[in-house]
Amino acid sequence: MEDKEREIDILQNDKAPEGDKSEVLHKEELFRLAAENYSQQNEMLRERQSNLIQDREQRKKYASRIFWMICVYLVLILIVVFSCGWGLMALNDGVLMMLLGTTTANVIGLFAIVTKYLFHPTVDSASYNSR
């Protein structure tokens, strides 16, 4: 890779360093090497772009699913609490406190873990945001 960069640099400057003239490839070969290098960089950028598109689609899908799962979970807990308050169900006070405490911890923990995983900064976005 360093040889290619050296050769491309020689081509751009249109002169070879002292004593290297016999080692310099023809300009056509240097153009071919430069084109090959740019082609590899292009392919790498296309792959990175397809990965980012796939990540974005998955984030949309799973963020929506997690949101609705948490909503359903909270509605079920509210039904249990209101059922106990209206006398339709009988649960000990300790059980209700434990139910509400663990529900709060589950919702906050699940939300934190999912958002940290789904919306983590990538190397690309971190370098983009620092500009």
Side-chain angles (χ1 to χ4, degrees), residues 21 37 42 46 64 73 81 98:
K21 289 193 187 253
N37 188 21
N42 246 356
R46 280 191 193 104
S64 176
Y73 185 69
V81 170
M98 186 63 81

Side-chain angles (χ1 to χ4, degrees), residues 52 55 59 115-127 129:
L52 290 173
D55 285 351
R59 287 174 181 170
T115 54
K116 184 174 183 173
Y117 174 73
L118 287 179
F119 302 105
H120 67 282
T122 60
V123 175
D124 295 331
S125 65
S127 65
N129 290 334

Side-chain angles (χ1 to χ4, degrees), residues 31-75:
F31 280 126
R32 187 191 64 74
L33 289 172
E36 183 181 309
N37 188 21
Y38 289 134
S39 175
Q40 289 173 352
Q41 288 176 356
N42 246 356
E43 185 62 32
M44 199 167 55
L45 289 173
R46 280 191 193 104
E47 184 69 29
R48 191 176 299 161
Q49 182 184 19
S50 69
N51 286 343
L52 290 173
I53 289 170
Q54 179 186 8
D55 285 351
R56 188 176 302 126
E57 292 301 318
Q58 287 181 342
R59 287 174 181 170
K60 287 178 188 177
K61 181 172 76 173
Y62 288 111
S64 176
R65 288 180 181 180
I66 294 296
F67 172 77
W68 286 110
M69 185 187 80
I70 290 174
C71 287
V72 168
Y73 185 69
L74 290 176
V75 166

Side-chain angles (χ1 to χ4, degrees), residues 6 24 68 99-101 121 127:
R6 188 177 121 268
V24 176
W68 286 110
L99 179 67
L100 293 175
S127 65

Side-chain angles (χ1 to χ4, degrees), residues 85-99:
W86 290 328
L88 301 174
M89 184 185 286
L91 290 177
N92 191 354
D93 288 343
V95 172
L96 280 175
M97 287 179 12
M98 186 63 81
L99 179 67

